[in-house]
Amino acid sequence: MVYNMDSRNCKAEPIWNETTKNGKKTMVWHWPGCSWPPTSKSPLLSVVDGTQPGSVNMGVAQMDWEKIIYANADIEKDHFTGHTDKAAGVGCNITDLSEVLKNPSSEASDEEDEMMELWWGDKSREGNEIRTYIKTLDDTEMMIGAKVAYDQFFTGIKPAEGWANAPEGALEFHFVVSGGTEERIALITKGANGDYDAVALYHTKDDAEPFAVIPKGKMVSGIIDDVTKKGATKPSCRSYKILELSPDGKNLRFWISNALDTTNSMLWSDNDLFHDIIKNVGPIPPVSLIGGEDAELVREVFIPSWDIYCQWQADCLEYLLQHKQFDAIFSHLHNVDCAGHQLWHLGKTLEPWKNTDEKVYQGFIERVFQQTDDYIGRFLHFLDEGYTIFVVSDHGLLVGENVPPILGEYGGLNVSVMEQLGYTTLKTDADGNKIDEVDWDKTTAVQIRSNYIYINVKGRDKHGIVDPKDKYDLEEQVINDLYNYRDPATGKRVVGLAVRNKDAVVFGTNGDEAGDIFFTVNEGFNRLHGDGLSTAEGYFGTSVTPTFVAAGPGIKANYTTKRVIRQVDVAPTIATLLGTHVPEQCEGAPIYQILTDND
């Protein structure tokens, strides 16, 4: 796989290029896939990010990982574990802080940094590949996305000593940042009732004032602190929250967010706009990427961090409309999808996740949609100011009914089922153990990502072994085997639809870069999205079907159309409303049924 959120790979003209041609000042705010880098040099076009789906600057500005500090009066020696899956124990045993500071990062952190660079930068431009082999359930996004990963630091708590300005009765602890290379110190302080209820953060004991004070029960964001990564030190934005603090101050769990470089404007086409936003709205708040099967972290960290980010992004877009007079804004918010990949599959209690409570996670699903409703509500007053608003999604998310077989997993090359059917073979080491490398001399077909199977054709593919004259018959055989395949656990058919590339034109999934066979996973075995038809439904009233809502000038009021609206219809409908040319390569048609009569 090659990370493909790059406008230079997009073969269709975007609608925002047409709006600028027609003299309309246009903002494209974090629209993943085809917006960055800008493909128009018009001074009327401003583009912010779009190189990855998470949040603005997420792929290029991260300086340090999320972490949880475990501080307790009984801990005598520091323990530091780099960015890893949540450990059952306390991680590596470090007996001296100076030793910790000599070990700045783990191999896991370096690997994650490599993935970050694949999102944007020289590595993506060079076409670097991400190779992932999905062989068991442990390799799937449902398992990986639900794992909790963060830096952990275990340290002691003791009475404050040697401080220039410590409150009476304060307790102290320390922790490390910047991948373990730098130290911060902190005081645990008492409230009016005599209980310990806050943490104050300092750089040195000589500081007259803390650089941040975190009260118990509240997430505090927008805190700027210098963070160092690979020798470069940048002022970075962080959020903090006390997860647990005993009244006597002797036990503390303290969450620290990842750190975002507040000076990184690499993915802003208008550098002045970047500084304007930072000055008048505030630095980009980091979102949490941990939670998964840990319900406490979902409730106390993941969702609240997105609350803060959603408000920040809404503040930005309101500011742009009110002070920069944009005629059109195309924007994207990823909270639902980001939560979906971590949480949605836990909305039904299945065997691999029987330790979680589906009712709790169904509540989280509803909470995320409430968060989204609040976000959308921030813009509804613009309807009274003459704006038209479209609310659209590219897909929905569903809660799976069953544990899906290893077929249609989006993350890479799906081995298991194709191996069982006799089409894919992995190489083995000297001891006969399978390794992550395809044996192309014995492989006639491979299944990549959600919906495609590629025949290993001689003369076309680098290691091809299938004679081109046999390709048609082999496709027929693969399609038959897919339809005949049954889930070992339920005995039910797994594949809903399978067609050749030439027939996939009906679904818009054909072409030279698409697979030789397009298939979908049958309803009931769907993951979150992408592996089935867009009509697929799931548990807890969920569906993959996307959303379309429109309101404002030019749109009929209180009207529901019976027309099936497709994603390709959105751009020509916007063009019609704005009076611009329909973008080149546009396949859809204006949704005339929802438009008011032209005056």
Side-chain angles (χ1 to χ4, degrees):
M1 301 191 306
V2 177
Y3 205 80
N4 198 37
M5 293 193 179
D6 186 333
S7 66
R8 292 164 296 189
N9 295 336
C10 185
K11 298 178 180 179
E13 181 187 30
I15 179 67
W16 42 81
N17 285 12
E18 283 297 333
T19 60
T20 56
K21 288 178 186 177
N22 283 264
K24 299 186 184 300
K25 188 177 181 182
T26 303
M27 162 60 69
V28 183
W29 181 278
H30 195 218
W31 193 280
C34 55
S35 63
W36 188 272
T39 53
S40 168
K41 296 182 179 180
S42 171
L44 294 174
L45 179 65
S46 297
V47 179
V48 174
D49 206 333
T51 61
Q52 39 68 38
S55 59
V56 171
N57 271 16
M58 176 181 172
V60 295
Q62 292 208 52
M63 295 290 293
D64 196 15
W65 295 109
E66 291 181 68
K67 52 191 86 273
I68 293 181
I69 311 304
Y70 302 85
N72 189 281
D74 295 330
I75 294 178
E76 297 180 356
K77 296 179 180 179
D78 293 336
H79 305 271
F80 174 72
T81 304
H83 191 74
T84 59
D85 295 338
K86 184 176 180 180
V90 295
C92 55
N93 186 354
I94 303 296
T95 59
D96 190 318
L97 180 60
S98 62
E99 196 171 337
V100 175
L101 301 181
K102 292 176 184 177
N103 293 275
S105 62
S106 66
E107 291 182 6
S109 295
D110 290 339
E111 290 172 4
E112 294 288 352
D113 287 342
E114 289 288 307
M115 292 296 288
M116 289 285 188
E117 291 173 15
L118 279 168
W119 289 358
W120 182 251
D122 291 338
K123 293 204 170 186
S124 67
R125 284 189 282 271
E126 293 166 3
N128 279 258
E129 296 178 350
I130 306 168
R131 294 181 177 268
T132 307
Y133 297 83
I134 301 148
K135 296 168 288 187
T136 68
L137 187 64
D138 288 337
D139 302 322
T140 65
E141 66 155 325
M142 292 184 293
M143 297 298 285
I144 296 171
K147 290 180 180 179
V148 180
Y150 46 80
D151 288 348
Q152 299 176 88
F153 188 71
F154 297 78
T155 190
I157 296 174
K158 61 184 180 181
E161 294 181 357
W163 291 75
N165 191 26
E168 183 177 353
L171 304 173
E172 68 176 64
F173 69 97
H174 66 183
F175 56 93
V176 292
V177 296
S178 301
T181 64
E182 297 176 350
E183 182 185 19
R184 296 291 181 268
I185 52 179
L187 291 175
I188 305 172
T189 60
K190 293 181 179 180
N193 65 355
D195 291 341
Y196 288 89
D197 64 358
V199 169
L201 306 178
Y202 297 79
H203 293 104
T204 73
K205 291 186 177 183
D206 293 329
D207 296 343
E209 299 292 337
F211 67 85
V213 176
I214 318 301
K216 187 176 180 179
K218 179 183 179 182
M219 182 176 289
V220 178
S221 189
I223 305 300
I224 309 301
D225 186 22
D226 284 348
V227 176
T228 301
K229 178 181 177 182
K230 295 183 178 179
T233 301
K234 301 289 184 179
S236 301
C237 182
R238 295 197 106 134
S239 302
Y240 302 84
K241 189 173 187 179
I242 296 171
L243 298 175
E244 179 184 6
L245 176 57
S246 60
D248 63 5
K250 294 183 178 180
N251 185 58
L252 169 73
R253 282 188 299 122
F254 187 53
W255 170 78
I256 304 175
S257 76
N258 52 13
L260 293 183
D261 174 10
T262 60
T263 67
N264 193 316
S265 59
M266 176 182 178
L267 300 180
W268 295 62
S269 65
D270 186 338
N271 198 56
D272 290 339
L273 181 65
F274 169 78
H275 293 291
D276 197 7
I277 288 291
I278 299 299
K279 177 182 176 181
N280 292 289
V281 181
I284 304 168
V287 294
S288 175
L289 296 178
I290 65 174
E293 296 178 32
D294 190 326
E296 180 197 29
L297 292 182
V298 176
R299 182 180 60 253
E300 299 296 330
V301 172
F302 182 88
I303 292 177
S305 77
W306 275 100
D307 284 337
I308 292 171
Y309 179 83
C310 289
Q311 291 306 309
W312 175 84
Q313 180 160 302
D315 289 343
C316 289
L317 298 181
E318 277 202 302
Y319 176 80
L320 293 174
L321 284 168
Q322 292 169 344
H323 298 279
K324 300 299 179 181
Q325 292 76 49
F326 281 97
D327 298 304
I329 290 183
F330 299 87
S331 67
H332 149 262
L333 180 67
H334 206 66
N335 63 325
V336 176
D337 194 87
C338 189
H341 285 271
Q342 277 206 27
L343 315 175
W344 254 237
H345 65 284
L346 302 173
K348 181 178 182 180
T349 301
L350 297 170
E351 180 63 26
W353 307 284
K354 59 185 177 181
N355 59 311
T356 59
D357 184 342
E358 68 176 53
K359 296 298 182 183
V360 170
Y361 280 85
Q362 289 169 11
F364 291 152
I365 292 172
E366 292 176 334
R367 174 70 176 81
V368 172
F369 279 116
Q370 291 167 358
Q371 181 183 79
T372 308
D373 289 344
D374 291 341
Y375 173 80
I376 294 171
R378 289 286 303 276
F379 307 106
L380 297 188
H381 67 91
F382 286 109
L383 293 172
D384 299 326
E385 300 173 28
Y387 284 90
T388 300
I389 296 177
F390 281 23
V391 178
V392 300
S393 66
D394 60 345
H395 61 78
L397 295 160
L398 59 73
V399 176
E401 295 279 1
N402 300 288
V403 179
I406 308 303
L407 191 71
E409 170 70 24
Y410 88 101
L413 190 146
N414 290 253
V415 176
S416 177
V417 173
M418 292 295 286
E419 192 174 46
Q420 293 174 43
L421 296 177
Y423 297 108
T424 299
T425 301
L426 295 184
K427 290 184 178 180
T428 57
D429 60 21
D431 297 322
N433 300 310
K434 295 176 184 176
I435 62 174
D436 286 347
E437 188 176 346
V438 174
D439 188 341
W440 293 109
D441 292 336
K442 301 177 181 178
T443 293
T444 55
V446 291
Q447 198 268 292
I448 303 288
R449 285 179 66 80
S450 301
N451 302 107
Y452 291 125
I453 291 175
Y454 295 83
I455 306 299
N456 189 22
V457 180
K458 188 184 301 182
R460 183 192 71 177
D461 302 316
K462 184 176 180 180
H463 305 287
I465 63 172
V466 176
D467 194 307
K469 67 180 177 61
D470 298 327
K471 177 175 178 288
Y472 190 91
D473 289 339
L474 181 58
E475 290 172 347
E476 181 71 16
Q477 179 185 330
V478 172
I479 290 171
N480 287 339
D481 287 343
L482 290 174
Y483 281 133
N484 288 326
Y485 180 77
R486 297 295 183 267
D487 173 44
T490 64
K492 295 182 178 180
R493 176 167 54 92
V494 171
V495 172
L497 177 75
V499 297
R500 291 183 174 86
N501 183 299
K502 70 180 182 64
D503 303 316
V505 65
V506 176
F507 307 100
T509 53
N510 69 308
D512 294 339
E513 296 176 1
D516 297 302
I517 295 171
F518 168 79
F519 75 97
T520 63
V521 171
N522 207 19
E523 191 171 72
F525 293 103
N526 304 108
R527 295 161 178 84
L528 286 169
H529 67 83
D531 55 359
L533 294 174
S534 60
T535 53
E537 297 178 349
Y539 189 67
F540 188 53
T542 53
S543 170
V544 178
T545 303
T547 292
F548 179 92
V549 181
I555 305 295
K556 292 178 181 177
N558 303 313
Y559 177 76
T560 301
T561 181
K562 293 183 179 179
R563 171 174 169 174
V564 176
I565 298 173
R566 302 173 300 159
Q567 289 177 28
V568 291
D569 297 333
V570 175
T573 305
I574 293 174
T576 299
L577 282 169
L578 292 177
T580 68
H581 186 271
V582 174
E584 296 288 340
Q585 297 85 33
C586 188
E587 296 179 357
I591 310 166
Y592 295 110
Q593 292 85 348
I594 71 171
L595 304 179
T596 57
D597 294 334
N598 294 326
D599 295 329

